[in-house]
Amino acid sequence: MKPSTALYPLVLALASVCSAKLSFKSGSAVVNAKDGSPSQSLKFDSSKGTQPLRVAQDETLKLQFTVFDDAEKRDVQPHQTFLRFYDEKTDEEGIVPIKVGRDGKARFTLNLRKPPVGLPPTSFDPLHVSLILGSFKHEGAVYDLFDLSLPPSATTPPHPEESTFHIQPEIVHTFRPDQKLPPKFISLVFAGLVLSPWAVLLGLLRYLPISLQPDTKTLPFLACLTSFEVLLLWYWVDLYLGQVLMYGAVLGLATAIAGKRALSSFN
């Protein structure tokens, strides 16, 4: 089924609205001296090229224009309007928003005694000023206005802590020398002194008037005592104090029970 030819005008109207582009008219820039008298002025529109404009430190720039809809041939209020200041030499740029009334009229004042926050740092080279128009119903547009020459920006005083952000000398760590180990002979002598009580104990067992024949009651007790020695050795190698106390508490309870059974065998 072919669409009705009555819809063609509506489709064409929608297409024209979506492709409509915002423009501006009656653009003018006036530079006022300190006493308020105009010292420079120029007219600009979307068809002209950029023109030079110079503003001194004690002068004020006043800019005005009217946003225009080319398709509907009427003044409109865009959703967003900006002035872009761009320095082609330093690649610095700044964006300054502009308020536009419902009638499409826009005004902007540049006072160098209180410059806008979006104004970039200036040098002896001019800033290229362009107009950016944005709308949800129209195609966005960018127009070149003029080349603005401003006094160079003052040099920023250095921050008192600026030097702390400079490249600092490399940090050189000084490590303590490696621990010196005693000779192996000395280590063996002291290891023998530590183990000597066991040799004395085993030597005296033959003189005791009791029989220490291992059985099911004494072997658990001896195993628990050996486990305590292994636990202390493990603590010296790898374990932490908290782990030793936890394992020792469990092992101590088992040793007490096994010791009580071992003592009952001598009765």
Side-chain angles (χ1 to χ4, degrees), residues 39-74:
S39 58
Q40 301 178 65
S41 64
L42 62 84
K43 302 290 185 180
F44 57 87
D45 55 37
S46 56
S47 61
K48 292 183 179 180
T50 58
Q51 305 176 56
L53 188 65
R54 180 177 297 275
V55 179
Q57 184 66 40
D58 56 350
E59 294 179 331
T60 303
L61 171 64
K62 292 187 176 181
L63 187 70
Q64 62 181 8
F65 56 87
T66 302
V67 182
F68 186 72
D69 187 341
D70 290 332
E72 299 181 4
K73 305 299 182 183
R74 66 183 183 89

mmCIF file of all heavy atoms in Angstrom, residues 39-74:
data_model
loop_
_atom_site.group_PDB
_atom_site.id
_atom_site.type_symbol
_atom_site.label_atom_id
_atom_site.label_comp_id
_atom_site.label_asym_id
_atom_site.label_seq_id
_atom_site.Cartn_x
_atom_site.Cartn_y
_atom_site.Cartn_z
ATOM 1 N N SER A 39 35.192 54.172 21.386
ATOM 2 C CA SER A 39 36.464 54.387 20.707
ATOM 3 C C SER A 39 36.591 53.549 19.438
ATOM 4 O O SER A 39 37.290 53.926 18.515
ATOM 5 C CB SER A 39 37.621 54.060 21.654
ATOM 6 O OG SER A 39 37.536 52.715 22.107
ATOM 7 N N GLN A 40 35.920 52.384 19.396
ATOM 8 C CA GLN A 40 35.917 51.519 18.217
ATOM 9 C C GLN A 40 34.547 50.875 18.089
ATOM 10 O O GLN A 40 33.833 50.705 19.074
ATOM 11 C CB GLN A 40 36.972 50.413 18.310
ATOM 12 C CG GLN A 40 38.405 50.872 18.453
ATOM 13 C CD GLN A 40 39.342 49.691 18.586
ATOM 14 O OE1 GLN A 40 39.479 48.889 17.658
ATOM 15 N NE2 GLN A 40 39.980 49.568 19.735
ATOM 16 N N SER A 41 34.197 50.470 16.902
ATOM 17 C CA SER A 41 32.958 49.739 16.668
ATOM 18 C C SER A 41 33.074 49.001 15.347
ATOM 19 O O SER A 41 33.799 49.429 14.435
ATOM 20 C CB SER A 41 31.742 50.680 16.654
ATOM 21 O OG SER A 41 31.836 51.590 15.573
ATOM 22 N N LEU A 42 32.366 47.902 15.255
ATOM 23 C CA LEU A 42 32.331 47.148 14.001
ATOM 24 C C LEU A 42 31.041 46.354 13.937
ATOM 25 O O LEU A 42 30.446 46.013 14.950
ATOM 26 C CB LEU A 42 33.552 46.228 13.856
ATOM 27 C CG LEU A 42 33.803 45.107 14.862
ATOM 28 C CD1 LEU A 42 33.011 43.843 14.519
ATOM 29 C CD2 LEU A 42 35.276 44.748 14.894
ATOM 30 N N LYS A 43 30.606 46.103 12.700
ATOM 31 C CA LYS A 43 29.436 45.278 12.450
ATOM 32 C C LYS A 43 29.908 43.920 11.930
ATOM 33 O O LYS A 43 30.869 43.842 11.158
ATOM 34 C CB LYS A 43 28.529 45.948 11.401
ATOM 35 C CG LYS A 43 28.057 47.342 11.782
ATOM 36 C CD LYS A 43 27.061 47.314 12.934
ATOM 37 C CE LYS A 43 26.519 48.715 13.217
ATOM 38 N NZ LYS A 43 25.539 48.724 14.336
ATOM 39 N N PHE A 44 29.239 42.860 12.357
ATOM 40 C CA PHE A 44 29.610 41.529 11.889
ATOM 41 C C PHE A 44 28.348 40.699 11.683
ATOM 42 O O PHE A 44 27.327 40.922 12.325
ATOM 43 C CB PHE A 44 30.541 40.836 12.893
ATOM 44 C CG PHE A 44 29.984 40.711 14.276
ATOM 45 C CD1 PHE A 44 29.195 39.633 14.645
ATOM 46 C CD2 PHE A 44 30.249 41.688 15.235
ATOM 47 C CE1 PHE A 44 28.692 39.517 15.921
ATOM 48 C CE2 PHE A 44 29.743 41.568 16.525
ATOM 49 C CZ PHE A 44 28.953 40.487 16.866
ATOM 50 N N ASP A 45 28.430 39.770 10.765
ATOM 51 C CA ASP A 45 27.348 38.810 10.547
ATOM 52 C C ASP A 45 27.959 37.511 10.046
ATOM 53 O O ASP A 45 29.178 37.385 9.916
ATOM 54 C CB ASP A 45 26.297 39.365 9.569
ATOM 55 C CG ASP A 45 26.912 39.797 8.241
ATOM 56 O OD1 ASP A 45 27.843 39.108 7.773
ATOM 57 O OD2 ASP A 45 26.475 40.804 7.680
ATOM 58 N N SER A 46 27.103 36.549 9.749
ATOM 59 C CA SER A 46 27.584 35.222 9.385
ATOM 60 C C SER A 46 28.228 35.181 8.008
ATOM 61 O O SER A 46 28.943 34.228 7.691
ATOM 62 C CB SER A 46 26.412 34.225 9.423
ATOM 63 O OG SER A 46 25.358 34.663 8.562
ATOM 64 N N SER A 47 28.016 36.174 7.185
ATOM 65 C CA SER A 47 28.559 36.158 5.823
ATOM 66 C C SER A 47 29.912 36.860 5.725
ATOM 67 O O SER A 47 30.652 36.635 4.770
ATOM 68 C CB SER A 47 27.567 36.824 4.850
ATOM 69 O OG SER A 47 27.345 38.184 5.220
ATOM 70 N N LYS A 48 30.257 37.696 6.700
ATOM 71 C CA LYS A 48 31.513 38.432 6.644
ATOM 72 C C LYS A 48 32.641 37.619 7.270
ATOM 73 O O LYS A 48 32.418 36.735 8.086
ATOM 74 C CB LYS A 48 31.382 39.777 7.379
ATOM 75 C CG LYS A 48 30.450 40.767 6.702
ATOM 76 C CD LYS A 48 30.446 42.075 7.460
ATOM 77 C CE LYS A 48 29.538 43.090 6.793
ATOM 78 N NZ LYS A 48 29.518 44.386 7.528
ATOM 79 N N GLY A 49 33.846 37.928 6.896
ATOM 80 C CA GLY A 49 35.004 37.308 7.517
ATOM 81 C C GLY A 49 35.364 37.995 8.814
ATOM 82 O O GLY A 49 34.733 38.968 9.240
ATOM 83 N N THR A 50 36.379 37.488 9.465
ATOM 84 C CA THR A 50 36.797 38.050 10.748
ATOM 85 C C THR A 50 37.495 39.393 10.546
ATOM 86 O O THR A 50 38.229 39.610 9.579
ATOM 87 C CB THR A 50 37.747 37.086 11.466
ATOM 88 O OG1 THR A 50 38.870 36.832 10.624
ATOM 89 C CG2 THR A 50 37.039 35.773 11.783
ATOM 90 N N GLN A 51 37.264 40.293 11.490
ATOM 91 C CA GLN A 51 37.864 41.621 11.470
ATOM 92 C C GLN A 51 38.639 41.833 12.775
ATOM 93 O O GLN A 51 38.288 41.266 13.807
ATOM 94 C CB GLN A 51 36.783 42.707 11.318
ATOM 95 C CG GLN A 51 35.883 42.507 10.105
ATOM 96 C CD GLN A 51 34.782 43.547 10.060
ATOM 97 O OE1 GLN A 51 35.043 44.752 10.060
ATOM 98 N NE2 GLN A 51 33.540 43.085 10.034
ATOM 99 N N PRO A 52 39.680 42.643 12.752
ATOM 100 C CA PRO A 52 40.439 42.878 13.987
ATOM 101 C C PRO A 52 39.731 43.861 14.900
ATOM 102 O O PRO A 52 39.046 44.783 14.457
ATOM 103 C CB PRO A 52 41.768 43.447 13.467
ATOM 104 C CG PRO A 52 41.409 44.091 12.168
ATOM 105 C CD PRO A 52 40.298 43.278 11.566
ATOM 106 N N LEU A 53 39.924 43.638 16.204
ATOM 107 C CA LEU A 53 39.344 44.511 17.210
ATOM 108 C C LEU A 53 40.298 44.522 18.403
ATOM 109 O O LEU A 53 40.765 43.469 18.847
ATOM 110 C CB LEU A 53 37.957 43.999 17.638
ATOM 111 C CG LEU A 53 37.140 44.932 18.546
ATOM 112 C CD1 LEU A 53 36.781 46.215 17.808
ATOM 113 C CD2 LEU A 53 35.870 44.227 19.018
ATOM 114 N N ARG A 54 40.582 45.710 18.939
ATOM 115 C CA ARG A 54 41.532 45.853 20.023
ATOM 116 C C ARG A 54 40.849 46.507 21.224
ATOM 117 O O ARG A 54 40.110 47.490 21.074
ATOM 118 C CB ARG A 54 42.728 46.696 19.578
ATOM 119 C CG ARG A 54 43.799 46.898 20.663
ATOM 120 C CD ARG A 54 44.981 47.689 20.119
ATOM 121 N NE ARG A 54 45.639 46.955 19.056
ATOM 122 C CZ ARG A 54 46.576 46.037 19.246
ATOM 123 N NH1 ARG A 54 46.940 45.718 20.492
ATOM 124 N NH2 ARG A 54 47.140 45.421 18.241
ATOM 125 N N VAL A 55 41.120 45.954 22.406
ATOM 126 C CA VAL A 55 40.552 46.474 23.648
ATOM 127 C C VAL A 55 41.698 46.726 24.614
ATOM 128 O O VAL A 55 42.498 45.818 24.892
ATOM 129 C CB VAL A 55 39.530 45.489 24.267
ATOM 130 C CG1 VAL A 55 38.986 46.052 25.574
ATOM 131 C CG2 VAL A 55 38.395 45.227 23.299
ATOM 132 N N ALA A 56 41.784 47.953 25.133
ATOM 133 C CA ALA A 56 42.832 48.301 26.095
ATOM 134 C C ALA A 56 42.410 47.898 27.508
ATOM 135 O O ALA A 56 41.276 47.460 27.750
ATOM 136 C CB ALA A 56 43.127 49.791 26.018
ATOM 137 N N GLN A 57 43.332 48.066 28.461
ATOM 138 C CA GLN A 57 43.102 47.618 29.832
ATOM 139 C C GLN A 57 41.952 48.355 30.489
ATOM 140 O O GLN A 57 41.182 47.774 31.250
ATOM 141 C CB GLN A 57 44.384 47.797 30.649
ATOM 142 C CG GLN A 57 44.295 47.281 32.074
ATOM 143 C CD GLN A 57 44.122 45.772 32.139
ATOM 144 O OE1 GLN A 57 44.737 45.058 31.366
ATOM 145 N NE2 GLN A 57 43.278 45.307 33.047
ATOM 146 N N ASP A 58 41.805 49.650 30.207
ATOM 147 C CA ASP A 58 40.766 50.450 30.848
ATOM 148 C C ASP A 58 39.530 50.605 29.974
ATOM 149 O O ASP A 58 38.682 51.448 30.261
ATOM 150 C CB ASP A 58 41.318 51.833 31.222
ATOM 151 C CG ASP A 58 41.901 52.564 30.017
ATOM 152 O OD1 ASP A 58 42.042 51.938 28.940
ATOM 153 O OD2 ASP A 58 42.234 53.753 30.147
ATOM 154 N N GLU A 59 39.406 49.803 28.915
ATOM 155 C CA GLU A 59 38.261 49.871 28.017
ATOM 156 C C GLU A 59 37.325 48.685 28.251
ATOM 157 O O GLU A 59 37.691 47.689 28.879
ATOM 158 C CB GLU A 59 38.712 49.893 26.556
ATOM 159 C CG GLU A 59 39.480 51.168 26.196
ATOM 160 C CD GLU A 59 39.934 51.175 24.754
ATOM 161 O OE1 GLU A 59 40.172 50.068 24.193
ATOM 162 O OE2 GLU A 59 40.062 52.269 24.178
ATOM 163 N N THR A 60 36.105 48.833 27.708
ATOM 164 C CA THR A 60 35.065 47.816 27.878
ATOM 165 C C THR A 60 34.501 47.438 26.513
ATOM 166 O O THR A 60 34.213 48.319 25.700
ATOM 167 C CB THR A 60 33.936 48.322 28.787
ATOM 168 O OG1 THR A 60 34.494 48.719 30.051
ATOM 169 C CG2 THR A 60 32.903 47.239 29.027
ATOM 170 N N LEU A 61 34.353 46.152 26.295
ATOM 171 C CA LEU A 61 33.779 45.653 25.039
ATOM 172 C C LEU A 61 32.328 45.257 25.282
ATOM 173 O O LEU A 61 32.027 44.483 26.199
ATOM 174 C CB LEU A 61 34.580 44.445 24.532
ATOM 175 C CG LEU A 61 33.980 43.690 23.342
ATOM 176 C CD1 LEU A 61 33.917 44.576 22.099
ATOM 177 C CD2 LEU A 61 34.759 42.410 23.057
ATOM 178 N N LYS A 62 31.430 45.790 24.447
ATOM 179 C CA LYS A 62 30.014 45.432 24.515
ATOM 180 C C LYS A 62 29.610 44.790 23.198
ATOM 181 O O LYS A 62 29.814 45.369 22.125
ATOM 182 C CB LYS A 62 29.145 46.651 24.814
ATOM 183 C CG LYS A 62 29.359 47.203 26.221
ATOM 184 C CD LYS A 62 28.366 48.302 26.552
ATOM 185 C CE LYS A 62 28.543 48.777 27.997
ATOM 186 N NZ LYS A 62 27.561 49.831 28.360
ATOM 187 N N LEU A 63 29.038 43.604 23.309
ATOM 188 C CA LEU A 63 28.690 42.802 22.143
ATOM 189 C C LEU A 63 27.197 42.526 22.174
ATOM 190 O O LEU A 63 26.639 42.223 23.235
ATOM 191 C CB LEU A 63 29.474 41.480 22.174
ATOM 192 C CG LEU A 63 29.398 40.565 20.971
ATOM 193 C CD1 LEU A 63 30.132 41.152 19.792
ATOM 194 C CD2 LEU A 63 29.997 39.199 21.318
ATOM 195 N N GLN A 64 26.538 42.623 21.022
ATOM 196 C CA GLN A 64 25.123 42.294 20.955
ATOM 197 C C GLN A 64 24.787 41.746 19.561
ATOM 198 O O GLN A 64 25.406 42.132 18.559
ATOM 199 C CB GLN A 64 24.239 43.503 21.279
ATOM 200 C CG GLN A 64 24.373 44.681 20.331
ATOM 201 C CD GLN A 64 23.478 45.847 20.735
ATOM 202 O OE1 GLN A 64 22.860 45.843 21.794
ATOM 203 N NE2 GLN A 64 23.398 46.849 19.880
ATOM 204 N N PHE A 65 23.802 40.859 19.533
ATOM 205 C CA PHE A 65 23.339 40.255 18.276
ATOM 206 C C PHE A 65 21.982 39.626 18.543
ATOM 207 O O PHE A 65 21.527 39.530 19.689
ATOM 208 C CB PHE A 65 24.338 39.210 17.755
ATOM 209 C CG PHE A 65 24.659 38.115 18.731
ATOM 210 C CD1 PHE A 65 23.875 36.960 18.811
ATOM 211 C CD2 PHE A 65 25.728 38.234 19.604
ATOM 212 C CE1 PHE A 65 24.164 35.969 19.713
ATOM 213 C CE2 PHE A 65 26.020 37.233 20.505
ATOM 214 C CZ PHE A 65 25.238 36.098 20.578
ATOM 215 N N THR A 66 21.340 39.160 17.492
ATOM 216 C CA THR A 66 20.026 38.531 17.581
ATOM 217 C C THR A 66 20.078 37.185 16.879
ATOM 218 O O THR A 66 20.497 37.103 15.715
ATOM 219 C CB THR A 66 18.939 39.413 16.931
ATOM 220 O OG1 THR A 66 18.928 40.698 17.572
ATOM 221 C CG2 THR A 66 17.569 38.769 17.078
ATOM 222 N N VAL A 67 19.656 36.137 17.584
ATOM 223 C CA VAL A 67 19.635 34.794 17.009
ATOM 224 C C VAL A 67 18.421 34.669 16.107
ATOM 225 O O VAL A 67 17.307 35.069 16.467
ATOM 226 C CB VAL A 67 19.615 33.728 18.113
ATOM 227 C CG1 VAL A 67 19.641 32.331 17.505
ATOM 228 C CG2 VAL A 67 20.802 33.919 19.052
ATOM 229 N N PHE A 68 18.624 34.071 14.930
ATOM 230 C CA PHE A 68 17.613 34.071 13.875
ATOM 231 C C PHE A 68 17.463 32.659 13.332
ATOM 232 O O PHE A 68 18.443 31.924 13.158
ATOM 233 C CB PHE A 68 18.046 35.040 12.764
ATOM 234 C CG PHE A 68 17.024 35.248 11.692
ATOM 235 C CD1 PHE A 68 15.870 35.977 11.944
ATOM 236 C CD2 PHE A 68 17.214 34.701 10.433
ATOM 237 C CE1 PHE A 68 14.930 36.161 10.940
ATOM 238 C CE2 PHE A 68 16.279 34.892 9.432
ATOM 239 C CZ PHE A 68 15.131 35.627 9.682
ATOM 240 N N ASP A 69 16.213 32.262 13.061
ATOM 241 C CA ASP A 69 15.903 30.973 12.438
ATOM 242 C C ASP A 69 15.744 31.198 10.940
ATOM 243 O O ASP A 69 14.803 31.877 10.505
ATOM 244 C CB ASP A 69 14.620 30.389 13.044
ATOM 245 C CG ASP A 69 14.352 28.973 12.567
ATOM 246 O OD1 ASP A 69 14.917 28.574 11.530
ATOM 247 O OD2 ASP A 69 13.568 28.255 13.226
ATOM 248 N N ASP A 70 16.647 30.615 10.158
ATOM 249 C CA ASP A 70 16.612 30.827 8.718
ATOM 250 C C ASP A 70 15.375 30.217 8.072
ATOM 251 O O ASP A 70 14.829 30.771 7.100
ATOM 252 C CB ASP A 70 17.866 30.229 8.066
ATOM 253 C CG ASP A 70 19.108 31.015 8.427
ATOM 254 O OD1 ASP A 70 18.995 32.223 8.692
ATOM 255 O OD2 ASP A 70 20.206 30.417 8.454
ATOM 256 N N ALA A 71 14.914 29.062 8.612
ATOM 257 C CA ALA A 71 13.782 28.380 7.982
ATOM 258 C C ALA A 71 12.471 29.111 8.253
ATOM 259 O O ALA A 71 11.671 29.329 7.344
ATOM 260 C CB ALA A 71 13.699 26.940 8.485
ATOM 261 N N GLU A 72 12.232 29.487 9.509
ATOM 262 C CA GLU A 72 10.969 30.137 9.870
ATOM 263 C C GLU A 72 11.028 31.655 9.756
ATOM 264 O O GLU A 72 10.019 32.323 9.963
ATOM 265 C CB GLU A 72 10.586 29.740 11.293
ATOM 266 C CG GLU A 72 10.382 28.233 11.472
ATOM 267 C CD GLU A 72 9.975 27.878 12.884
ATOM 268 O OE1 GLU A 72 9.776 28.818 13.684
ATOM 269 O OE2 GLU A 72 9.840 26.676 13.180
ATOM 270 N N LYS A 73 12.217 32.184 9.487
ATOM 271 C CA LYS A 73 12.382 33.631 9.323
ATOM 272 C C LYS A 73 11.876 34.405 10.539
ATOM 273 O O LYS A 73 11.112 35.376 10.427
ATOM 274 C CB LYS A 73 11.657 34.129 8.052
ATOM 275 C CG LYS A 73 12.055 33.429 6.780
ATOM 276 C CD LYS A 73 13.538 33.619 6.492
ATOM 277 C CE LYS A 73 13.927 32.947 5.179
ATOM 278 N NZ LYS A 73 15.376 33.060 4.905
ATOM 279 N N ARG A 74 12.347 33.955 11.716
ATOM 280 C CA ARG A 74 11.929 34.654 12.938
ATOM 281 C C ARG A 74 13.043 34.541 13.976
ATOM 282 O O ARG A 74 13.910 33.658 13.900
ATOM 283 C CB ARG A 74 10.626 34.092 13.483
ATOM 284 C CG ARG A 74 10.727 32.655 13.979
ATOM 285 C CD ARG A 74 9.374 32.125 14.435
ATOM 286 N NE ARG A 74 9.474 30.765 14.981
ATOM 287 C CZ ARG A 74 9.712 30.488 16.252
ATOM 288 N NH1 ARG A 74 9.869 31.486 17.135
ATOM 289 N NH2 ARG A 74 9.791 29.245 16.678
#
